[in-house]
Amino acid sequence: MLSGYSDFDYLKSAIQLGVKDYLLKPVARAELNELLGKLAEEIRQEQQKLQASRQALLQKNEQLRLLQENFFAANGQGRVVQLGGDQGTAAAAPADPADGG
């Protein structure tokens, strides 16, 4: 936030709206450049976090798709699918005739 007012009610309102910093006019060029650099870095880091989250979501969706394919393929062949391991992999086992399957 950049302001020529020394009335800090504006500052309070700005903070409530999510302002990252406050500069009082007249602002020194070096101070402005430093703040802009800091904000640019924060934006870059946030973009990296979002990209990592998107990548993780895509991987989880692919794992889910593979699990679903394995489940339906195994059940279509009269087998029971048992989930195992931390990887979320599916392993097919012969159906137990006593279970009706």
Side-chain angles (χ1 to χ4, degrees):
M1 177 176 180
L2 181 63
S3 174
Y5 296 99
S6 59
D7 182 353
F8 290 99
D9 286 336
Y10 289 104
L11 177 59
K12 181 180 175 184
S13 297
I15 289 171
Q16 291 171 342
L17 294 172
V19 170
K20 296 286 186 178
D21 210 327
Y22 181 84
L23 298 174
L24 188 61
K25 291 192 300 186
V27 64
R29 183 179 295 254
E31 186 180 10
L32 179 60
N33 286 337
E34 181 182 337
L35 177 59
L36 292 175
K38 181 178 115 180
L39 294 174
E41 178 62 21
E42 286 180 19
I43 291 169
R44 187 187 65 76
Q45 288 177 1
E46 185 64 26
Q47 288 173 336
Q48 286 179 336
K49 287 179 187 177
L50 287 171
Q51 181 62 28
S53 294
R54 285 186 198 115
Q55 188 64 32
L57 182 60
L58 288 172
Q59 289 174 346
K60 288 178 181 180
N61 284 338
E62 179 63 12
Q63 290 173 348
L64 178 60
R65 185 188 65 77
L66 292 172
L67 284 170
Q68 288 171 336
E69 283 180 11
N70 288 337
F71 176 82
F72 291 118
N75 281 330
Q77 297 173 10
R79 298 186 301 173
V80 175
V81 173
Q82 298 174 340
L83 296 178
D86 291 332
Q87 302 296 322
T89 57
D96 185 356
D99 291 337

